[in-house]
């Protein structure tokens, strides 16, 4: 964080901690999912629907969260989102039926949907054009660490009981929620009043329609396709490794934890350097090609060492994608950072809904199909980056 101002470092640390803990609880679902679903006699399709419930809630609430962060300030929305993720973890911990698991995932999706746009807008508020990629990279690193270290910790803590990881995540979430109260608000009241006059609240449908006219629409489309492809990897990974290699939750946790560490290293120490050296678009192109290739390499069964290398490469190049695209969106958003961040999360959540459902259904047909399909989708996203952006015409949304 050395290149960031002193005033930005503490709140950025709190934001990173919040996202890490929130995604940690959600990520704990992954390694224990095969065992957990056996309690309900459920299959791969159920795993897809369970993860899609989370994405559906994000889809509905992220545009609302983005707008409300512009209207009421970042801090209140971040605190509200954190509280809902704590509630989600605790409901998941005490659930005895599959419908309750869906409820827990849906509430968790609401919390993340409200919180992530507000976090991204907060980072855009406290960084400059030059330091924004680094700030988004740190934020992405914390999300990546939570989502992929969550499975690792979940597998280990589950040794004390399959429900224990969720009580653990809920307790950490409460601590993080309390820490949020010590963060300063970054959106002055005058700006909130200004946004309220200019931008009356829109329905989700209108936001999506209006997003077609924003200057950053192609980046939103890239987020959608990219997320859809990547979810084919994440949704069925534990089931895939368990059935293809016969690995238990502990080995699966080790593989995911190694990948998490690689992802964090490249986001913190390499992302900013590579963006300055290659530029955002070129880095995105390389990462899309490499993630597609590693998905295809996943279908070949060799040994644990091979799986670790391929998974590590996937995590490394995946770690470059989201913060880089998010930086491009933030740089194009002007004063409407919350609105743009909400759209970013909305398009992400559409991918989070469709990707898991299709991945679960395809997995039940044949375990390799989600990875082949995911590679095709990611390769198709490459062609979006070849479009030349229109001249810096502000195709921004107009609100009459």
């Amino acid at each position: 964080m050395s290149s960031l101002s002193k005033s930005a470092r503490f709140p950025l640390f709190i934001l990173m901690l919040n996202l890490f803990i929130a995604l940690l609880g959600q990520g704990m679902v992954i390694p224990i999912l095969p065992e957990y679903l056996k309690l309900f006699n459920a299959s791969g399709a159920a795993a897809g629907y369970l993860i899609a419930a989370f994405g559906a809630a994000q889809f509905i609430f992220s545009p609302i969260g983005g707008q409300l962060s512009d209207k009421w300030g970042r801090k209140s929305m971040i605190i509200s989102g954190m509280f809902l993720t704590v509630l989600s973890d605790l409901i998941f911990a005490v659930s005895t039926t599959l419908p309750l698991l869906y409820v827990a995932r849906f509430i968790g999706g609401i919390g993340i949907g409200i919180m992530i746009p507000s976090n991204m807008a907060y980072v855009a508020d406290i960084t400059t054009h030059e330091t924004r990629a680094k700030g988004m990279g740190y934020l992405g690193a914390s999300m990546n660490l939570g989502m992929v270290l969550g499975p690792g910790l979940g597998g280990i803590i589950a040794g004390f009981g399959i429900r224990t990881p969720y009580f653990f995540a809920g307790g950490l979430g409460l601590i993080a929620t309390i820490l949020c109260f010590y963060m300063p608000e970054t959106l002055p009241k005058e700006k909130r009043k200004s946004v309220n006059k200019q931008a009356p609240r829109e329905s989700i449908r209108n936001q999506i329609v209006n997003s077609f006219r924003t200057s950053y629409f192609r980046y939103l489309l890239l987020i959608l396709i990219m997320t859809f492809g990547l979810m084919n990897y994440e949704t069925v990974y534990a089931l895939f490794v368990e059935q293809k290699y016969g690995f238990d939750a502990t080995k699966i946790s080790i593989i995911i934890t190694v990948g998490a560490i690689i992802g964090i290293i490249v986001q913190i120490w390499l992302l900013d350097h590579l963006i300055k050296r290659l530029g955002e678009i070129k880095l995105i192109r390389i990462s899309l090609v490499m993630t597609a290739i590693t998905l295809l390499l996943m279908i070949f069964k060799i040994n644990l060492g091979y799986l670790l290398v391929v998974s590590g490469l996937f995590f490394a190049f995946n770690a470059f994608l989201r913060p880089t695209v998010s930086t491009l969106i933030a740089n194009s958003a002007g004063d409407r950072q919350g609105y743009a961040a909400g759209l970013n999360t909305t398009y992400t959540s559409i991918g989070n809904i469709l990707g898991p459902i299709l991945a679960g259904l395809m997995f039940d047909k044949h375990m390799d199909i989600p990875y082949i399909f995911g590679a095709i989708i990611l390769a198709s996203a490459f062609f979006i980056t070849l479009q030349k952006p229109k001249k810096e015409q502000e195709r921004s949304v107009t609100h009459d």
Side-chain angles (χ1 to χ4, degrees):
M1 295 188 191
S2 56
S3 61
L4 297 168
S5 66
K6 285 185 179 179
S7 61
R9 289 176 199 169
F10 176 71
L12 182 58
F13 171 75
I14 299 297
L15 293 180
M16 291 170 64
L17 182 64
N18 288 347
L19 284 179
F20 166 69
I21 290 174
L23 273 296
L24 184 80
Q26 303 306 321
M28 283 180 178
V29 170
I30 296 172
I32 63 175
L33 201 54
E35 286 299 316
Y36 216 62
L37 288 178
K38 286 175 186 175
L39 299 177
F40 307 96
N41 297 315
S43 64
Y49 289 128
L50 195 61
I51 295 171
F54 180 83
Q58 269 192 296
F59 170 70
I60 295 168
F61 287 91
S62 58
I64 298 171
Q67 285 188 87
L68 292 181
S69 81
D70 282 337
K71 187 175 182 178
W72 293 345
R74 320 299 189 202
K75 184 174 174 179
S76 60
M77 300 313 298
I78 292 170
I79 291 172
S80 301
M82 276 302 302
F83 176 77
L84 288 174
T85 62
V86 171
L87 186 61
S88 169
D89 290 331
L90 294 179
I91 292 175
F92 212 98
V94 300
S95 293
T96 54
T97 64
L98 193 59
L100 267 179
L101 295 183
Y102 287 128
V103 170
R105 291 291 289 174
F106 194 81
I107 291 173
I110 295 173
I112 297 295
I114 289 174
M115 187 173 66
I116 288 181
S118 304
N119 274 269
M120 293 171 71
Y122 197 111
V123 169
D125 290 342
I126 63 175
T127 55
T128 64
H129 187 86
E130 292 72 28
T131 61
R132 191 157 294 146
K134 183 176 278 290
M136 290 292 182
Y138 281 124
L139 208 61
S142 64
M143 292 170 66
N144 183 50
L145 182 63
M147 198 60 194
V148 292
L149 195 56
L153 285 176
I156 295 167
I157 298 173
F160 298 97
I162 202 163
R163 299 178 188 274
T164 306
Y166 304 103
F167 286 114
F168 179 77
L172 284 179
L174 279 175
I175 295 170
T177 305
I178 293 168
L179 287 174
C180 289
F181 287 93
Y182 293 94
M183 293 193 317
E185 175 56 64
T186 59
L187 189 67
K189 288 184 180 177
E190 315 80 66
K191 283 196 175 182
R192 292 181 230 171
K193 288 177 184 174
S194 165
V195 167
N196 291 339
K197 287 177 184 175
Q198 294 172 18
R201 190 149 144 214
E202 296 175 316
S203 66
I204 297 174
R205 178 186 169 279
N206 287 342
Q207 279 200 57
I208 292 175
V209 170
N210 285 331
S211 72
F212 300 164
R213 303 201 302 271
T214 62
S215 58
Y216 45 86
F217 173 66
R218 75 180 183 128
Y219 303 133
L220 293 172
L221 191 59
L222 187 59
I223 285 279
L224 169 61
I225 297 174
M226 187 177 76
T227 304
F228 182 82
L230 296 175
M231 285 308 294
N232 282 271
Y233 171 89
E234 294 175 2
T235 301
V236 296
Y237 184 78
L239 295 168
F240 176 85
V241 173
E242 182 196 45
Q243 291 188 26
K244 186 154 237 177
Y245 286 86
F247 292 163
D248 59 14
T250 303
K251 279 189 178 175
I252 294 171
S253 298
I254 291 170
I255 295 166
I256 295 174
T257 303
V258 169
I261 293 168
I262 292 170
I264 296 309
I265 290 171
V266 301
Q267 278 187 323
I268 291 178
W269 281 287
L270 292 179
L271 178 63
D272 191 49
H273 171 73
L274 288 175
I275 286 178
K276 287 175 182 174
R277 185 178 179 84
L278 302 173
E280 286 92 346
I281 294 295
K282 193 169 183 180
L283 180 58
I284 290 169
R285 288 173 184 166
I286 293 169
S287 299
L288 285 170
V289 170
M290 291 304 299
T291 49
I293 289 171
T294 52
L295 281 183
L296 291 176
L297 291 175
M298 283 289 296
I299 67 178
F300 299 103
K301 179 184 176 182
I302 299 182
N303 54 36
L304 176 60
Y306 172 82
L307 188 60
L308 280 169
V309 170
V310 172
S311 297
L313 285 171
F314 175 85
F315 277 107
F317 286 99
N318 178 35
F320 293 135
L321 283 170
R322 188 166 303 282
T324 307
V325 180
S326 295
T327 298
L328 290 173
I329 292 172
N331 287 341
S332 304
D335 290 334
R336 303 212 59 199
Q337 293 294 334
Y339 183 83
L343 285 174
N344 185 334
T345 312
T346 296
Y347 277 80
T348 298
S349 59
I350 295 172
N352 283 339
I353 296 167
L354 299 177
I357 292 173
L358 283 176
L361 292 171
M362 289 186 291
F363 184 86
D364 285 344
K365 296 288 183 186
H366 192 283
M367 70 176 73
D368 291 341
I369 296 177
Y371 292 90
I372 296 169
F373 185 67
I376 293 170
I377 292 297
L378 288 170
S380 72
F382 177 87
F383 294 100
I384 294 176
T385 68
L386 298 178
Q387 297 174 6
K388 289 188 179 177
K390 295 186 178 179
K391 290 181 181 177
E392 291 302 316
Q393 299 173 272
E394 275 296 317
R395 295 190 302 143
S396 51
V397 181
T398 55
H399 300 277
D400 301 321

